[in-house]
Amino acid sequence: SVIQEDLRCALADKFSACPTFSAEDLTKMAVAIFEFVGSLSPQCAIHAAQLHSNVGQALQQGIYELVLGWLSRSSGYKHRFPNTPKETIATVLAWGLYGGALKWHSVHRRLPAEQACKEIVAMFF
């Protein structure tokens, strides 16, 4: 619960108002998640893998809850995915963003976080 609250605070720092279901806001959210996941990972790959096996489920659940709350306050997703329940969208986004953050952080030569996040967000917009 501490990690989930820290994640909520990290995301709250990125938005002055409630985010909308837009490429810009989703990218900002993704960058915040990438940075947060990166801040939790020790430099040693073995310790990072152990950390994420222990807290990964809590992080995924925290991201899911944040995205679901975001979708519940915004109707923008209905135009893009008219027949998809918001719970399904939240699940795919949460897993995609968390998995993307883990993969991004494990690569030594990586794109800047914003560029990597834009590539993920482009799949939805």
Side-chain angles (χ1 to χ4, degrees):
S1 64
V2 170
I3 287 176
Q4 289 176 352
E5 183 59 30
D6 288 348
L7 175 62
R8 276 190 280 281
C9 290
L11 286 169
D13 288 344
K14 298 288 182 184
F15 295 97
S16 58
C18 183
T20 60
F21 191 75
S22 66
E24 181 181 343
D25 282 351
L26 185 54
T27 300
K28 282 172 47 175
M29 176 182 276
V31 169
I33 290 168
F34 274 45
E35 291 171 350
F36 184 80
V37 169
S39 73
L40 293 177
S41 295
Q43 295 302 315
C44 174
I46 294 170
H47 292 295
Q50 290 172 345
L51 173 73
H52 287 291
S53 70
N54 293 332
V55 300
Q57 187 174 2
L59 271 173
Q60 289 169 3
Q61 183 63 29
I63 295 168
Y64 170 82
E65 289 171 7
L66 288 165
V67 172
L68 184 60
W70 178 37
L71 294 174
S72 296
R73 293 183 299 274
S74 171
S75 62
Y77 73 93
K78 292 178 183 177
H79 299 326
R80 178 120 354 246
F81 308 105
N83 299 315
T84 306
K86 65 181 173 281
E87 294 81 7
T88 302
I89 297 167
T91 298
V92 171
L93 280 172
W95 279 86
L97 294 175
Y98 178 70
L102 282 180
K103 181 67 177 170
W104 175 82
H105 195 271
S106 70
V107 175
H108 292 289
R109 288 185 170 185
R110 57 182 172 242
L111 298 172
E114 186 169 356
Q115 186 178 346
C117 292
K118 283 181 179 180
E119 289 180 3
I120 292 171
V121 169
M123 295 173 57
F124 294 94
F125 287 92

